[in-house]
Amino acid sequence: MTLAFIGLGNMGGPMAANLVRAGHAVTGYDVTGRGPEGVTLASSAEQAARGARVVFTMLPDGPILRQVAAQVIPAMAPGAVLCDCSTVDVTSARAVAEQAAAAGVLALDAPVSGGVGGAAAGTLTFMVGGPAAAFALVEPLFAVMGRRTVHCGDAGAGQAAKICNNMILGATMIATCEAIALADKLGLDRARLYDVVSTSSGQSWSMTAYCPAPGVGPASPADNGYRPGFAAELMLKDLRLSQMAAEAADADTPMGRLATELYRRFVEDEGGRGQDFSAMLPRFAARSRGD
Ligand code: NAD
């Protein structure tokens, strides 16, 4: 299949490389002018998109997605698919889908989880919103770049699934870290707490698969000096998107709001930028109740 890939950064680069490895002709574009080996570089987003059956985008945020979509949609043939894999606000995803539909182009929002490691290994999870016909066409390509794909519903449903998941993740990571810091102060060994919680009702992915305490549970960024992994500033980005969506939908999300504020402070005021999001544990461990 003739494919285009716009945004060849930390995620998009390895994803495009996996499509090339699977035998697809991929024309790419990135404002940096760089792309992985095997991707034919175009001089603009429009040029990359022209003639492509599927145009993938993997961009930093909603405003940039809207800008790129406005450039590529007029260059795309009716029936071609614009598949955005970035994490953006639900409103931008829906606006792009509407603009595409007006031009006869099919749009999918297909954000991923799995990070840079998953992008390189082709083991991402795709959460997809958009029409079934577009999903059926792109599904085999998701299978090249990922291990699991869920069709979540209409336009915006993929982004909705992603931010709901990450709002749970942000809140459970904070709850797990503050509980471990409390256990420290109560004189309870972290490994014993892990043994109990990981098989009890307090367990979550944050404790069992990504334990924020070094030397406890399976290997995680905590065992690597809290190098990401999933950086705290990316968690903050996703939490902010969850609160934008909650605002727009008039949903009451007090835990999500507090998690957003704690990650904001951590990233902007407390040196958390560049650290894994599980580095909330040393943050709590160093604090007292009055701080
Ligand atoms: P990145 O900054 O490495 O890549 C984005 C790329 O887009 C850059 O190479 C940039 O030059 C390019 N770009 C910016 N404006 C452009 C334009 N107008 N036209 C063409 N290219 C343009 O970021 P990333 O880590 O690859 O993340 C991409 C998206 O994936 C983000 O939305 C992020 O939230 C999401 N995401 C990232 C991770 C992760 O672990 N890095 C995990 C899941 C989801």
Side-chain angles (χ1 to χ4, degrees), residues 6-13 29-34 45 58-61 64 67-68 71 85-88 111-117 124 162 166 229-231 234 237-238 241:
I6 297 163
L8 299 165
N10 292 326
M11 296 292 290
Y29 175 72
D30 191 290
V31 281
T32 60
R34 286 196 293 272
M58 193 52 164
L59 297 161
D61 58 31
I64 294 177
Q67 184 196 324
V68 169
Q71 291 163 0
C85 299
S86 332
T87 304
V88 304
V112 301
S113 75
V116 177
L124 294 169
K162 166 93 187 175
N166 281 18
F230 184 43
L234 291 180
K237 172 191 168 177
D238 292 358
L241 292 176

Side-chain angles (χ1 to χ4, degrees), residues 178-188 284-289 291:
E178 68 180 31
I180 295 172
L182 169 62
D184 289 348
K185 295 200 174 182
L186 295 173
L188 173 60
F284 279 112
R287 294 170 67 88
S288 343
R289 201 156 177 80
D291 288 342

